[in-house]
């Protein structure tokens, strides 16, 4: 990266255009807008729900509906209540069908389907067995390669001469050859693993078990039933209440996304919150992120992302293709995807990336408005990607790489250039080393690669460099990265450089040429971590990405990769004479305090050494983009054999405060040389300033359907007043995204106390997450564990939006900058 960048999005290059200009509507939350129309909310904002007639497989809808009765009918006696309320919420469709001729005539003796019960309640067996009972939806949601049960209500008992065929359709031009039109004859078996069997015939009720293909397209299918009898043919009209969502299935051994560890599936598919790590290797910060993949509306947003990219339905059964499309669509470049990236420090037209507490507000805003949401940086892109891929059924985790290289010239090395006096030549330093970078691992087989590359695959939605002309990255086998096999698709060279390139220091010579004066072999990818399974501890996964630093296998991987780069002979000119070592010590300081930087020089040789040392201190974005040097120090140090000396540089708050940027990080450039042997000293050290946490306290027990109160306490650490202070509050099953405008908070030691009520809608252990943001201070977060008890007499709260969802309020981010 050659400087701060803000990608602004370009509508003209998108294959999808919003059908109308959004018009403002009143909202209870600040700066919220929605699209006005006479259609239902989902039809207005999402083309995958509006079913426009487009006669091609690149269409953005789910097929034209056949009109028919919308009579809801009632469910049969003795059924459990729907997870969202009474039995009347169960999508059981009843009504008059049509015959094959389409004239509506039903002749005597025809086998008429008078109703369908997809057993789609969250408390029903289908949803429980398919691990989809947490989705806040009334529709049937199943995972491919696994059977589900349905009930058909017939006009008369089912006979041996009767024939029943189930049909599933997706897209605007469903075709059998593209698997977008699935035909399943009951009792005869279908193609590609689809089949249906009669489980029980009880009078005019027929219980069926439907088996889906483990290679099925994922998405929202329309469902219909055809019957054939001696009296004629009948077709059940399409009904939106009978639509079926099919997802990837990590529980199915025949699905290529299969995960053979239940604790992995619980963590990487079903866990709705997680930890994202940031900062530096020596000063790791962590924040809780609300993935919210089961929140109402999120699944529709995920499917709409595929639609807006124009992804052919026939390719949506391949997780390799789906994950690659998601990596492209989570950022806004090329295709007006979900998030606008912004590293400029100016977030006045949107939301500071540090202020987000989860993915739900972002995805629902994108779904509702059709506009990219401002703003995101790497952890936001990664958090949203985790949400989308987990929602679609891919085991996914959020991974942080500390000292992550950004290779701009495909050399597979990090090249840093200095002048004759070892002062950095910033205009030549195009490569950068991010303090940390966050991406995703998702689990799948790779039938498109040679054997040995199944398992974790890197997917990165942060727009750094293009891949085949598009800002996307991956999926890339972690195994190929580990061994330097940079010729493996997708984007292995770029990711290898991020985790295992060497930092090469070049010094300008008197004739203007450059010479390698130092190679730092252990400076990149120093620590790669993710949230541990079943706890909030950190899991070190560095060993999956690289062999032990300095080992023969690791050096072989680096040299194998570099041989395919733009500077294959980079190591041929190395010189080495290194008996003086450099170490850096920094304090753990909160923003607003003075600090001290200490450099320790050690003479490991047998002779006296004279070191001329130069320290340059600047503020840096976490992406490695630095500001001007605001403090420097020169010193000559004489070291006896075996001796060490500390060089101290104090830094006052008043000195660094005018230069502070996001993440509050500092970059110390150390350069110098040893007089006696010409050894060059070169080192870069990054350290961060901490921010305070929010303290959350639950005031009373949490019960589904009952108001609960939380207290949020914040202490301002800065000697300045905070202005335009905004709180965000979010938690799946607890609180839809909520924004609180606080205004001013006085300078240190001002204490702010806020109380907020929320109403849990799902039982079990939940996470309530809060953030505080202001122009003077960001990256302030807090979280509290909330154990929610079930409501008496019911398992979960009825969805406030009802079956149509048209009454639901979905908070949105400002559309500024889109």
């Amino acid at each position: 990266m050659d400087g701060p960048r803000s990608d602004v999005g370009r509508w003209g290059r998108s294959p999808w255009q919003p059908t109308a200009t959004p018009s403002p509507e009143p909202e209870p939350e600040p700066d919220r807008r929605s699209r006005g129309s006479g259609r239902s909310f989902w039809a207005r904002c999402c083309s995958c729900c509006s079913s426009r007639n487009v006669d091609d497989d690149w269409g953005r809808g789910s097929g034209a509906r056949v009109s028919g009765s919308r009579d809801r009918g009632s469910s049969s006696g003795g059924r459990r209540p729907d997870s969202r309320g009474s039995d009347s919420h169960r999508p059981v469709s009843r009504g008059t069908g049509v015959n094959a001729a389409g004239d509506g005539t039903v002749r005597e003796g025809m086998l008429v389907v008078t109703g369908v019960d997809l057993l789609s309640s969250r408390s029903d067996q289908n949803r429980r067995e398919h691990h989809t009972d947490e989705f806040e939806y009334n529709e049937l949601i199943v995972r491919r390669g696994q059977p589900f049960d349905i009930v058909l209500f017939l006009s008369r008992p089912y006979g041996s001469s009767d024939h029943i065929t189930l049909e599933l359709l997706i897209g605007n031009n469903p075709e059998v050859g593209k698997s977008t039109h699935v035909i399943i004859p009951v009792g005869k078996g279908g193609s590609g693993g689809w089949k249906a069997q009669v489980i029980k015939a009880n009078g005019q009720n027929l219980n069926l078990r439907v088996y889906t293909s483990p290679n099925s397209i994922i998405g929202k299918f329309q469902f219909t039933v055809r019957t054939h009898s001696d009296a004629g043919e009948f077709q059940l009209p399409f009904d939106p209440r009978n639509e079926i969502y099919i997802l990837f299935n990590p529980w199915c051994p025949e699905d290529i996304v299969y995960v053979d560890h239940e604790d992995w599936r619980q963590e990487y598919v079903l866990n709705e919150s997680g930890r994202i790590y940031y900062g530096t290797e020596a000063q790791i910060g962590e924040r809780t992120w609300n993935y919210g993949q089961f929140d109402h509306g999120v699944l529709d947003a995920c499917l709409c992302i595929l639609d807006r990219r124009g992804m052919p339905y026939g390719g949506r059964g391949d997780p390799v293709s789906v994950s690659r499309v998601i990596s492209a669509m989570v950022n806004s470049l090329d295709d007006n995807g979900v998030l606008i990236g912004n590293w400029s420090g100016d977030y006045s037209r949107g939301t500071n990336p540090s202020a987000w507490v989860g993915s739900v507000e972002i995805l629902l805003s994108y779904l509702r408005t059709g506009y990219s949401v401002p703003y995101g940086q790497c952890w936001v892109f990664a958090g949203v990607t985790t949400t989308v891929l987990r929602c679609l059924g891919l085991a996914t985790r959020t991974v942080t790489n500390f000292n992550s290289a950004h290779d701009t010239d495909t050399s597979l090395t990090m090249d840093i250039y200095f002048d004759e006096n070892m002062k950095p030549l910033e205009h030549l330093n195009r490569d950068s080393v991010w303090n940390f970078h966050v991406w995703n691992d998702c689990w799948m087989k790779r039938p498109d690669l040679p054997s040995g590359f199944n398992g974790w695959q890197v997917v990165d939605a942060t727009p750094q460099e293009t891949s085949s002309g598009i800002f996307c990255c991956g999926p890339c086998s972690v195994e190929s990265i580990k061994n330097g096999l940079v010729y493996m698709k997708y984007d292995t060279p770029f990711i290898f450089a991020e985790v295992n390139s060497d930092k090469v220091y070049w010094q300008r010579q008197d004739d203007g040429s450059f010479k390698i004066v130092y190679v730092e072999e252990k400076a990149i990818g120093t620590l790669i971590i993710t949230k541990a399974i079943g706890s909030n501890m950190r899991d070190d996964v560095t060993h999956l990405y690289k062999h032990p630093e300095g080992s023969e296998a690791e050096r072989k991987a680096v040299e194998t990769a570099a041989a395919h780069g733009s500077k294959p002979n980079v190591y041929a000119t190395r010189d080495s004479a290194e008996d003086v070592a450099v170490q850096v010590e920094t304090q753990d300081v909160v923003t607003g305090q003075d600090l001290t930087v200490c450099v320790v020089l050690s003479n490991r040789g047998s002779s006296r050494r004279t070191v001329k040392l130069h320290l340059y201190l600047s503020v840096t974005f976490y992406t490695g983009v630095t500001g001007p040097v605001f403090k420097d120090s020169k010193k000559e140090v004489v070291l006896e054999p075996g001796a060490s000396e500390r060089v101290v540089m104090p830094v006052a708050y008043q000195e660094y405060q005018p230069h502070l940027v996001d993440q509050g990080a500092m970059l110390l450039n150390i350069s110098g040389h040893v007089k006696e042997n010409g050894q060059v000293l070169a080192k870069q050290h990054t350290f961060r300033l901490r921010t305070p946490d929010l303290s959350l306290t639950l005031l009373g027990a949490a019960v589904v359907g009952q108001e609960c109160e939380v207290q949020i306490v914040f202490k301002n650490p800065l000697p300045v007043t905070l202005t335009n202070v905004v709180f965000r509050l979010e938690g799946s099953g607890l609180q839809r995204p909520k924004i609180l405008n606080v205004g001013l908070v006085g300078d240190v030691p001002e204490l702010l106390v806020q109380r907020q009520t929320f109403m849990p809608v799902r039982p079990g252990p939940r996470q309530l997450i809060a953030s505080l943001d202001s122009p003077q201070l960001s990256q302030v977060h807090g979280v509290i564990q909330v154990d929610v008890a079930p409501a008496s007499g019911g398992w979960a709260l009825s969805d406030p939006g009802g079956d149509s969802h048209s009454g639901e309020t979905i908070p949105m981010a400002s559309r500024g900058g889109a």
Side-chain angles (χ1 to χ4, degrees), residues 11 16 40 57 79 95 139 178 217 221 249 315 349 425 450 484 541 580 593 597 638 640 751-752 775 810:
W11 281 111
W16 179 88
S40 70
D57 193 38
R79 293 183 180 131
E139 293 81 3
K178 294 182 178 179
I217 291 169
F221 287 78
N249 192 354
R349 300 184 66 191
L425 295 170
V541 296
V580 174
Q593 297 178 344
V597 177
V638 178
E640 298 297 330
L751 196 67
L752 175 66
I810 298 179

Side-chain angles (χ1 to χ4, degrees), residues 190-478:
S191 61
W194 296 87
K195 64 178 180 178
Q197 296 176 343
V198 177
I199 301 302
K200 179 181 178 182
N202 181 18
Q204 294 176 210
N205 293 357
L206 190 66
N207 292 63
L208 302 179
R209 179 155 295 161
V210 182
Y211 296 81
T212 61
S213 167
N215 303 311
S216 167
I217 291 169
I218 65 160
K220 183 166 63 175
F221 287 78
Q222 292 180 323
F223 174 78
T224 186
V225 184
R226 292 181 183 268
T227 69
H228 177 82
S229 62
D230 294 338
E233 294 184 356
F234 168 87
Q235 178 186 348
L236 180 73
F238 290 111
D239 189 320
R241 290 167 294 178
N242 290 341
E243 289 174 326
I244 300 174
Y245 293 87
I246 299 180
L247 308 177
F248 291 117
N249 192 354
W251 282 267
C252 175
E254 289 75 37
D255 195 325
I256 66 173
V257 305
Y258 174 64
V259 177
D260 190 23
H261 305 281
E262 179 58 27
D263 56 343
W264 285 32
R265 295 188 291 247
Q266 292 293 322
E267 179 67 48
Y268 300 136
V269 182
L270 300 183
N271 195 347
E272 296 177 78
S273 64
R275 292 292 177 95
I276 297 179
Y277 303 99
Y278 62 94
T280 67
E281 176 193 3
Q283 299 169 297
I284 298 174
E286 59 183 55
R287 56 178 298 167
T288 303
W289 189 267
N290 181 46
Y291 295 126
Q293 67 267 32
F294 303 131
D295 274 30
H296 175 60
V298 170
L299 176 54
D300 291 283
C302 296
L303 296 177
C304 225
I305 288 171
L306 301 180
D307 292 336
R308 294 184 185 182
R309 179 64 192 172
M311 184 182 187
Y313 287 94
R316 300 189 190 190
D318 176 17
V320 175
S321 299
V322 169
S323 61
R324 188 157 173 80
V325 167
I326 294 304
S327 79
M329 281 298 297
V330 168
N331 70 74
S332 68
L333 287 177
D334 309 309
D335 41 36
N336 305 296
V338 177
L339 275 162
I340 300 170
N342 187 345
W343 289 265
S344 70
D346 178 7
Y347 312 117
S348 57
R349 300 184 66 191
T351 297
N352 186 330
S354 297
W356 298 114
V357 292
S359 307
V360 177
E361 181 181 359
I362 295 167
L363 286 167
L364 295 187
S365 173
Y366 180 66
L367 174 68
R368 184 168 188 170
T369 68
Y371 289 117
S372 303
V373 178
Y375 294 107
Q377 291 179 6
C378 69
W379 66 91
V380 188
F381 290 113
V384 171
T385 299
T386 296
T387 298
V388 174
L389 294 180
R390 284 188 185 181
C391 183
L392 297 178
L394 284 168
T396 307
R397 61 191 186 186
T398 308
V399 176
T400 300
N401 177 38
F402 289 98
N403 294 310
S404 184
H406 181 177
D407 180 21
T408 60
D409 60 2
T410 67
S411 66
L412 301 178
T413 57
M414 290 300 103
D415 300 298
I416 305 172
Y417 295 90
F418 296 85
D419 66 12
E420 295 82 352
N421 297 314
M422 288 302 291
K423 184 175 182 180
L425 295 170
E426 293 299 343
H427 67 284
L428 295 180
N429 292 333
R430 298 301 184 183
D431 291 347
S432 61
V433 179
W434 297 30
N435 302 344
F436 68 95
H437 181 44
V438 188
W439 61 63
N440 302 92
D441 284 347
C442 57
W443 183 274
M444 67 182 76
K445 293 180 180 178
R446 289 300 298 270
D448 58 324
L449 297 179
S451 61
F453 297 97
N454 298 331
W456 290 116
Q457 314 290 322
V458 174
V459 174
D460 189 351
T462 301
Q464 297 182 82
E465 301 290 334
T466 58
S467 171
S468 300
I470 298 172
F471 279 97
C472 64
C473 185
C476 170
S477 165
V478 170

